Amino acid sequence: MSAATNKKRKRARSLEILPEAQQIFRGLRFYFIPNDDVGPARKLRIKKALERGAKWIKEWDSEITHVIVDKSLSYSDILKFLKVPSISSSIILVNEHYPAECIQYQMLVNPDQRLYQVQGFREKPAQQQARSSETSTPKSLPRKPKKGAKHKPSQTPARTEPSEQNSVDGPSVVEATPQPVPEAPVLRAPELQNRLPDALDKAIEETLAVKDLVGLSVGRR
């Protein structure tokens, strides 16, 4: 068994992959500068990043998401190392403090902070500019109506007044409707004429009856 194989197995055993909920670097592709684990501090940084879901990219490609640089290196050193005129705006360039802070806070911190900037790097990538513009752009104010234009009042729903019956606590009181009082019949002229003879006849009959009684009582004596 070769020494290289033993070295790979020993490195695999030393990694302790954390649960998925703690893999804050999951899906991210890290390229370290220098891109080796010779130094003890860099070796520990790479190990902790891999345990939290990051993938260590050994060869430069277009799918790299983050370039992690030793704090002693400047932007010009990086360009000389990579032999490129500039770094793509799609890549986030940060120093070694960035992964350590993410691990400390258990989340991806904002890479635009000055603490994570590489020496001599002044140009922000397009993604960072977009994030800055989203947070700094104020909300648009409502437009003023044109001069001479009629202002339409905002429509508000009509308020419904509660009924008197609902506004009074306790049982509702219903007022009694007064019943009409029957009026005495009014006798018209013909009816009055028909009734007068009847009354007169009764009076005559009563007078005659009294006379008959008196005559009987006298005859008996």
Side-chain angles (χ1 to χ4, degrees), residues 61-181:
D61 61 28
S62 59
E63 295 183 358
I64 294 171
T65 60
H66 293 70
V67 174
I68 315 296
V69 183
D70 282 11
K71 63 180 180 181
S72 60
L73 299 177
S74 64
Y75 185 60
S76 59
D77 296 332
I78 297 167
L79 298 181
K80 290 176 184 177
F81 178 82
L82 296 174
K83 298 179 181 180
V84 293
S86 63
I87 295 179
S88 172
S89 60
S90 62
I91 297 174
I92 296 176
L93 178 65
V94 288
N95 62 28
E96 63 188 45
H97 293 301
Y98 177 75
E101 293 277 302
C102 292
I103 292 171
Q104 180 180 351
Y105 294 106
Q106 291 295 309
M107 61 180 292
L108 295 178
V109 297
N110 184 3
D112 299 340
Q113 298 182 57
R114 184 175 297 180
L115 177 64
Y116 315 130
Q117 288 183 1
V118 177
Q119 299 177 36
F121 182 68
R122 295 288 181 270
E123 184 182 1
K124 288 187 176 182
Q127 288 181 338
Q128 296 177 355
Q129 290 179 355
R131 285 195 297 269
S132 300
S133 62
E134 287 178 0
T135 55
S136 60
T137 304
K139 294 182 179 180
S140 59
L141 298 173
R143 295 182 179 180
K144 294 182 178 180
K146 293 181 179 180
K147 193 173 181 181
K150 294 182 179 180
H151 174 69
K152 294 183 178 180
S154 57
Q155 296 181 353
T156 56
R159 294 180 58 188
T160 56
E161 297 294 337
S163 62
E164 295 180 359
Q165 187 174 353
N166 295 333
S167 61
V168 178
D169 295 334
S172 59
V173 179
V174 180
E175 296 182 359
T177 305
Q179 298 294 331
V181 179

Side-chain angles (χ1 to χ4, degrees), residues 17-26 51-53:
I17 305 300
L18 298 179
E20 186 175 339
Q22 301 179 28
Q23 295 183 18
I24 57 176
F25 298 136
R26 184 180 180 132
E51 289 176 346
R52 287 160 176 80

